[in-house]
Amino acid sequence: MIIRQISSHVIKIHLSQFSVNSIYLDKDSLTISDDNSTNLDEYYPTTGILSPALFKLKYLEHLDLSANFLSGIIPEELSSLHRLKHLDLSSNYFEGQISKHISSLHNLTYLDLSCAGADLDGSILWRLGNLSQLQVIDLATKIYLQDEVSYNSYDCGPVYSPSLKWTENVRGLKHLSLQGVELNMTGKQLEAPLSRLHSLHHLSLKDCSLSGHIPNALRNLTSLSHLHLGWNELTSSLPTWLGNMTGLVSIHFDRCYLTGPFPSSLSRLPHLKEIKLVDNKITGNIRQILPCEAWPQLTRFALSGSNVTGSLPPCIGNLSSLQYLDLVDNLLNGQIPASVGLLSALVYLDLSYNLLTGNVPSELGGISSLEVLYLDHNHLNGSIPNSLGYLSRLSSINLGNINLEGFISLHFFENATRLVELSLSDNKLTLHIEPEWIPPMQFQVLHLGSCNIGGLIPAFLSTQYSLGLLDLSNNSLFGNIPAWLGDLPYFVFISLSHNNLQGELPSSFDISYYEKIYLGHNMLTGSVPIPSVPASDFELLDLSQNRFTGFIPVEIGLLLPNIEFLLYSENDLRGDIPSSIGLLQKLRDLDLSGNNFEGKIPSSLTNCTALKRLNLILDVANNFLSGNIPQWLGQLSELMILVLRSNNFKGWIPNALGNLSILHILDISHNDLTGAIPPELGKLTGMMDGEAGGSEVLNGRSSFGLSYYYKEEINVTNKGLNLAYGNSVLLLITAFDLSSNQLSGDIPSEIGNLKHLHVLNLSGNSLTGEIPVSFGLLEQLESLDLSNNKLRGRIPGQMVPLSFLSFFIVSNNMLCETIPSGTQFSTFNSTYFSGNPDLCGFPVDKRSCGCENNSSAGMPPVSEDEEEEEEEEIPWYWYVSWMASFAVGFWGVFGVLCLKKKWRVIYIRALDGYAVGLLNILSLRK
């Protein structure tokens, strides 16, 4: 398009989002073109940049060129537009400094340079102080993408400013947005400059590196209607005086680390329409926080990621203007009230990651405006209401992991032709997909894991050309992976794990274009897939528990340079571990267990600097790796899990492993290690303070609005059993296993420093000396196995108070004297102590015994009265009392666990030890 013959006396140019590529000016007219092919040689062509001739329009008062493709340097002739009042150059790609051209525009009242691309150094703020007529200033340097769901931001050029003193001369300012500007100020430092801006209506200091309390000066800005201070570190609570700022229309304090209660005074705000408090730790009951009668005008309410409790108020349907409701990741309970169906304006509803119960309300199907519905990760039940099939505007629905059951067909969603995201994973549903069905919509995200689909991979997927994420895990699918699956152009994430798929991967399946691939737990064969070109976006490859053969590609470090999770366990791979793995500087999890690898661990792994992060695992168990355990492993100072079990390692345990300060699982059992246990292993602070960490979400909510957790497992020998711990429990367990080696010498007393250790296994060695008295400090210990060694002396009485100890086996040693009695020791089976002929007392049958040297056991000799007391038979009423206490404690905890799934997963294994102890006592009484 070409526009000609515009008078040079023009006073206003408004070309926002006009895709302007060229601006020309002849003697008397202005020409604007978006067609670069047009022959306009008689003008002064400047494709994509601003010609200085533009600024000869000396009568110009309004210039808006925002959101175009303009670049290059802004001409200094800009300063000649003395009549200019409105200047908007935002969202372009300008270069160079603009600050020196601004200070002469004294009539300027509106200035928007947000993400203009120019180098807006800190001096521009001081120059703006000379423009006393300014009413609107927008210098935002960041654009936030989908900030309701994720925290992605685009940085379009930093600006730094040590203060806001420059605002002294622009006291008529009504709109101030410095979003993304590095102020690095505290709330106290903001008090003075903010107190002068009495005319301010809109204040946005989002992501400005602010800290401390919310500035009290804000309470005096009586004209303020929009207050946006999100993405800072304002670690205070919401002040009650916010309720006195009656002009407020929107409040944004998202991701500010706020704590404390939600102030009830906010319900007094008569014009409030928006509240965003995402990702804080605000407390309170939702019925007090969301007063239905007080806010009939409310359009947006986001209070996710906090500690809000209680059930949704039945009057929630009175919020007739509400369009957006986000209460994800709180502690809400009870049922979703039927009145939610009265929210006729509602577009977005997210109640996921709570404790909600009952059925999915059928009334939701009456909200014809609804576009996004997230109810996943709750304790709902029943079937999917038929009414949801009438939501024709629906674009995203996530009903995953809420215990739904019943039979459903994908035809159910045919009315929602705009549907791009569907998640039904991890329920008890049986999903039927007709072989010939072709959906009327183009999916981008399909989460259909654990939906009892069965059969071959559904054929309708071949028509889904927009599909980017597909989860069909755990569905009993069989057959080969079809070639057309690899031809879908936008695939970045695929999970086909935990099925019965077989055969080789099709040649069309080029992993170069993916980000995450889950193919674990199938029967796939052939060589491991190799990208055709270096895959810079690839993050995760899970090929575990298949039948892949061959070698890890020698050039893997070049082909997958940014991979974070590399899982090859339980296949038939062989050869050496490639040294190029050392190039994977973002590698967080390497699992090579259960293969036939040979040789040594490559020292290049020390270059994997990302291994110094949470949720790392180095697991090369059950191979044929040999040589010494390398000292350089101690350089991975934040490694959390180290498993070298069942290999051919020889030599001594390197004392450098004591440098792994946050390690919480150490398993080097079933090797051929010799020498003493290094005392330095008593310095593993991750096993001392219980701060090893918690489970980590792999990707949180993806850009598609879904959650996907990395389902990781590690086997730990606990209480004599080889137990698999998954992602939700794994990082809550601390374990120390050196069993089945040839270790000798005394057990270092320093091991007693690991007071948050849960599992300690030193069995099957040649350890000598005594059980350290310091073991009495292991207050969290649940399982202790010292069997099949050469230990001498007494069992320390200091271990009696260890109330969590439910598995204690010291068989086949040379221990002596009386077994301590009381607490957990009164529940142990006699087999735990067998093979120690000089032990006596309960539960073994011997009534008398002794040690060659009592004092060498680290305890004073026992008097005759004490011996007689210990030898007395335990009275019958003790067992009745013990079992009654056990029953009360068991059901008191078990009743809660029945309602809280996470607690069940974490703590249910702790009950087995107590149950075993009870059975042992009953058997002895017989």
Side-chain angles (χ1 to χ4, degrees), residues 4 54 70 94 112 247 253 324 417 419 431 438 453 557 569 653 674 717 754 756 760 778 787-788 790 839 844 884 913:
R4 301 193 185 192
L54 172 65
L70 298 172
F94 294 119
D112 189 348
F253 283 100
Y324 184 100
T417 56
L419 195 62
L431 182 63
I438 298 178
I453 295 174
S569 64
I653 298 174
T674 56
T717 301
L754 309 179
H756 277 270
L760 176 58
L778 301 176
S787 62
N788 298 293
K790 299 177 181 179
L839 274 179
V844 300

Side-chain angles (χ1 to χ4, degrees), residues 290-293 295-296 298 312-322 325 336-346 363 367:
L290 193 58
C292 311
E293 305 296 338
W295 288 335
L298 193 68
L312 292 169
C315 64
I316 193 171
N318 294 340
L319 300 174
S320 57
S321 300
L322 194 63
L325 179 59
I336 301 173
S339 62
V340 73
L342 300 176
L343 299 175
S344 57
L346 197 64
E363 288 80 3
I367 309 176

Side-chain angles (χ1 to χ4, degrees), residues 355-371:
L355 305 172
L356 298 172
T357 56
N359 295 332
V360 176
S362 60
E363 288 80 3
L364 285 171
I367 309 176
S368 59
S369 58
L370 198 60
E371 297 178 7

